[in-house]
Amino acid sequence: MSNASPRLTWLEPGESFPPLTQAWGVDSPAPGLLCAGNHLSADTLAAAYAQGIFPWYSEGQPTLWWSPDPRMVLQVDDFRLHPSLKKTLKKFSHSALCEIRFDHAFGAVIQACSGSDRQGQAGTWILPEMVTAYTQFHQAGYAHSVETWINGALVGGLYCINIGHAVFGESMFHHATDASKIALAALVAFCRTHHVPWIDCQQNTRHLASLGAREMPRHRFAAQLESLCLQPAPVWQFEPAMWQQLSQ
């Protein structure tokens, strides 16, 4: 039996993405790999995410685009608020020195994430050109940061992508205990407030599963995504009253 990799589609700038069914299968060297090439413009990223495709590659590689099957998704109603985090959130939400901010320091968040290991992966994947591209994506209104601030200092957070009623989690960081989990809890509360049903987590990890994320077949993910992307996007502003969503 041949061990040769399946053919990989190469995209020139401006070319459309191939159908998700062309992504490499579970028996391939890189399950979920769809194509390579194109470029990381805001328009390209918007088209990719709206179809359930995201970029992920390492230094020295071309831009690689992925659409794994199954897809790891956190249904916001299934978010597991463990007792220790619940206690932390109660203290955080009642302190005048603690606050959640959206999009206040996106550049600092993505830079911090670029220096952090991603769950289940070795080293960083957020290369300088990705920082530039996602900063432009933020300026175009698609990428957002959820930030944990304590005593005037940014101590943790995450950044994500939003198209319509679809939210795609990207990366997290923390400089204080539970700071990234606090940001994720805030994002869940925000999504519940605005009836955003799930947060895409891309790939399965033990950490994500412990928070309530589960796998979803790609075809069902893509069908739901198409509908969600047609809905109006929420206004990205966090209100302390949103914490009440986690007690429901």
Side-chain angles (χ1 to χ4, degrees):
M1 181 178 292
S2 173
N3 292 322
S5 299
R7 179 179 178 274
L8 182 64
T9 299
W10 180 268
L11 299 183
E12 297 297 334
E15 278 194 272
S16 299
F17 289 98
L20 303 187
T21 52
Q22 291 188 17
W24 289 9
V26 294
D27 295 329
S28 73
L33 180 59
L34 178 65
C35 57
N38 213 317
H39 57 84
L40 293 173
S41 70
D43 288 344
T44 301
L45 287 169
Y49 279 92
Q51 296 172 67
I53 303 165
F54 59 89
W56 175 40
Y57 58 100
S58 300
E59 188 172 1
Q61 294 180 326
T63 305
L64 301 176
W65 300 90
W66 302 76
S67 183
D69 186 15
R71 192 80 168 220
M72 194 68 166
V73 174
L74 174 61
Q75 304 284 344
V76 296
D77 288 342
D78 293 341
F79 177 63
R80 292 178 187 162
L81 188 57
H82 297 288
S84 60
L85 181 58
K86 186 175 184 178
K87 183 177 179 180
T88 298
L89 286 176
K90 183 176 181 180
K91 181 178 179 181
F92 182 91
S93 62
H94 285 80
S95 173
L97 298 177
C98 301
E99 63 177 318
I100 293 293
R101 301 179 188 176
F102 282 3
D103 296 332
H104 182 81
F106 181 88
V109 170
I110 194 170
Q111 287 288 355
C113 288
S114 72
S116 301
D117 289 343
R118 198 181 196 196
Q119 287 286 340
Q121 298 166 9
T124 185
W125 61 282
I126 308 173
L127 303 174
E129 60 264 32
M130 294 193 77
V131 172
T132 298
Y134 278 83
T135 300
Q136 293 172 350
F137 208 30
H138 165 66
Q139 293 167 350
Y142 293 102
H144 299 277
S145 56
V146 180
E147 307 158 10
T148 304
W149 290 77
I150 298 178
N151 200 21
L154 175 64
V155 297
L158 61 87
Y159 75 97
C160 59
I161 308 304
N162 171 226
I163 301 177
H165 262 43
V167 171
F168 309 82
E170 285 297 311
S171 189
M172 308 168 72
F173 83 97
H174 67 274
H175 295 322
T177 301
D178 288 338
S180 59
K181 293 179 181 178
I182 291 170
L184 177 59
L187 179 58
V188 168
F190 173 81
C191 288
R192 288 182 180 179
T193 300
H194 291 284
H195 307 291
V196 172
W198 46 250
I199 300 167
D200 173 42
C201 302
Q202 299 178 352
Q203 300 186 65
N204 194 340
T205 69
R206 184 181 303 175
H207 173 66
L208 291 170
S210 73
L211 297 173
R214 293 180 294 174
E215 292 182 334
M216 178 188 294
R218 184 174 58 207
H219 72 274
R220 185 151 59 91
F221 174 82
Q224 291 186 16
L225 176 60
E226 183 177 9
S227 175
L228 290 172
C229 286
L230 295 176
Q231 300 182 41
V235 176
W236 280 76
Q237 182 174 331
F238 188 81
E239 302 291 345
M242 292 179 180
W243 287 124
Q244 297 176 10
Q245 292 289 335
L246 299 180
S247 61
Q248 298 178 4

